[in-house]
Amino acid sequence: MYENDEKYMSAALLEAEKAGPEVYPNPKVGAIIVFNGEIISRGHTQEYGGDHAEVVAIKNLNKKYKNCTLFVTLEPCAHKGKTGACTDLIDNKIFKRVVIANLEINPKAGGGAKLISEKGISITEGVCSQNAKKINKRFFTFYEKKRPYVILKIASTLNGFIAEKDGQSKWITNEKSRSSSYQMRANCDAIMVGTNTIINDNPSLTSHGLGKKDPKIILIDLKNKLDNKANVFKHNPIVFSNDILSLNHSKNIEIILKKLFDMSFQSLFVEGGGKTLSRFIDTNLFDELHIYYAPKLTASGKPLYDGLKKINDTLDLHLDKIEQFDNDIKITYLKKEHVYRNN
């Protein structure tokens, strides 16, 4: 590794962060090209079907160069999909060296570093790898764990209730908190709720126009109780019922996540209700926990957690951030495995 590799890769990481959710199912990748110690071109992943980061950077070169170094946050792809293979454009007449943060984890797209090396271009791997992985934690979780990246969202009173005894929960949190949640929906591939949430609230589960897309709706309807006139059925939801589910709730979560993986959903936003959220917590099959607390109290109701955990059971959660929406507070926790060290 050269002296300034981390400096230039950090610039490539900033470029990767410019990519939005429209790149899905591709990861967010950034690339910069350096010549004689100067950054001469930049690029990041475009909307799915568009150019990849390194392609954008190469196309942005304003003249012919030799002996450049390409810094890219993920191994250039070696396969032809919606676009051509990125390795085809990495020419040894232009580049003497390629620096990569992480190797490609998608087996269909890997092998790029080997092809580039065979052109006589020097390869350096693992520069700022943890920081690069953090940007694409959903992508890496999907391929490493063979399931979507799971985000649990809870809206609660100060004393831990998510609804009245009769299921009434509109509205615990304020409008700004709800807008925050709608934006999160837009940034996820799918959203899941259980039967009681549909029956009690009849939600639309859309992003309410606060994002570029609505998530695919996933429903758990173990006893076939849902009315197909409910709002969610206007959006052609995927319904999991007793044809593949059983009374073993932990096993059901595994079955659902496996099915969603097979359908290429990289992220899942779980909004509840309490029983559904508790099943995910009990199985430890989640990656983030987002809790919105509103300054409200109720003497009784449905608790935010209704599972099997005890005080001595660790959830391996790390406090990521605290946000304020007027008088509401949002606390975000990450599983410890997603707390990447700086490098």
Side-chain angles (χ1 to χ4, degrees):
M1 188 168 71
Y2 287 57
E3 181 181 352
N4 290 318
D5 280 359
E6 291 188 0
K7 167 188 167 183
Y8 294 126
M9 187 60 78
S10 294
L13 290 169
L14 290 175
E15 196 67 27
E17 290 175 344
K18 295 178 183 178
E22 64 275 6
V23 306
Y24 168 82
N26 290 333
K28 300 176 181 181
V29 180
I32 66 165
I33 299 174
V34 175
F35 177 72
N36 285 345
E38 180 184 352
I39 297 174
I40 57 173
S41 188
R42 304 170 185 265
H44 61 268
T45 312
Q46 302 299 295
E47 183 174 353
Y48 181 60
D51 287 338
H52 292 186
E54 49 271 64
V55 175
V56 175
I58 292 169
K59 286 182 176 180
N60 283 342
L61 288 174
N62 56 16
K63 65 178 183 179
K64 291 185 178 180
Y65 288 89
K66 292 183 178 180
N67 296 322
C68 294
T69 300
L70 171 66
F71 289 82
V72 61
T73 58
L74 188 68
E75 179 184 15
C77 68
H79 81 300
K80 292 183 172 69
K82 289 281 186 180
T83 62
C86 294
T87 51
D88 290 347
L89 288 182
I90 301 175
D91 190 343
N92 59 9
K93 294 178 181 177
I94 302 174
F95 298 101
K96 66 176 181 179
R97 185 166 173 254
V98 173
V99 183
I100 299 167
N102 286 307
L103 293 178
E104 174 64 71
I105 196 169
N106 180 354
K108 294 180 180 179
K114 182 175 182 294
L115 291 178
I116 294 168
S117 179
E118 289 172 353
K119 296 181 182 184
I121 299 172
S122 173
I123 298 288
T124 301
E125 301 170 7
V127 178
C128 299
S129 61
Q130 290 293 303
N131 292 342
K133 195 171 185 180
K134 182 178 180 180
I135 293 172
N136 288 304
K137 56 190 176 182
R138 299 181 184 189
F139 178 79
F140 280 93
T141 295
F142 179 78
Y143 283 104
E144 288 175 347
K145 297 193 173 183
K146 303 295 186 292
R147 65 164 175 81
Y149 187 92
V150 177
I151 300 171
L152 307 183
K153 176 254 178 175
I154 298 171
S156 173
T157 64
L158 290 178
N159 58 335
F161 290 111
I162 62 172
E164 301 279 2
K165 276 190 173 181
D166 63 1
Q168 171 64 27
S169 62
K170 289 185 176 180
W171 295 104
I172 290 178
T173 55
N174 64 35
E175 188 173 345
K176 288 185 179 179
S177 290
R178 297 197 298 274
S179 292
S180 162
S181 179
Y182 298 154
Q183 289 170 342
M184 289 184 63
R185 290 178 182 179
N187 288 325
C188 289
D189 305 325
I191 182 171
M192 174 185 284
V193 299
T195 305
N196 289 338
T197 297
I198 301 299
I199 292 173
N200 293 327
D201 296 343
N202 194 23
S204 68
L205 299 181
T206 68
S207 60
H208 293 264
L210 295 179
K212 292 187 177 180
K213 66 180 179 68
D214 291 325
K216 185 67 176 178
I217 296 171
I218 313 296
L219 305 177
I220 301 176
D221 186 19
L222 187 59
K223 298 180 181 179
N224 298 304
K225 293 167 62 176
L226 291 180
D227 183 348
N228 61 12
K229 293 181 181 178
N231 287 331
V232 289
F233 284 94
K234 299 173 184 176
H235 306 285
N236 192 29
I238 296 171
V239 182
F240 289 95
S241 191
N242 58 13
D243 54 339
I244 64 168
L245 302 182
S246 69
L247 295 178
N248 185 330
H249 298 297
S250 296
K251 191 68 177 176
N252 287 344
I253 298 299
E254 294 177 10
I255 290 170
I256 291 169
L257 292 180
K258 175 62 169 61
K259 290 288 185 182
L260 295 180
F261 171 80
D262 292 341
M263 298 170 75
S264 297
F265 290 104
Q266 287 185 16
S267 56
L268 175 66
F269 190 50
V270 182
E271 286 209 25
K275 290 188 181 299
T276 301
L277 289 160
S278 297
R279 307 306 182 208
F280 277 90
I281 292 172
D282 284 346
T283 57
N284 282 320
L285 290 172
F286 70 98
D287 301 282
E288 297 185 13
L289 176 61
H290 297 228
I291 306 180
Y292 292 81
Y293 283 105
K296 296 180 180 179
L297 297 169
T298 181
S300 62
K302 296 182 180 296
L304 64 84
Y305 176 68
D306 185 24
L308 304 174
K309 296 287 187 183
K310 297 181 180 179
I311 288 177
N312 291 331
D313 293 331
T314 177
L315 295 178
D316 286 327
L317 295 178
H318 171 85
L319 178 61
D320 183 53
K321 60 183 174 182
I322 299 174
E323 299 170 85
Q324 182 175 351
F325 299 99
D326 286 339
N327 292 317
D328 289 356
I329 295 293
K330 179 188 177 186
I331 303 175
T332 300
Y333 291 96
L334 301 180
K335 278 295 193 72
K336 274 190 177 180
E337 64 204 77
H338 296 301
V339 181
Y340 300 107
R341 68 182 185 276
N342 293 328
N343 64 353

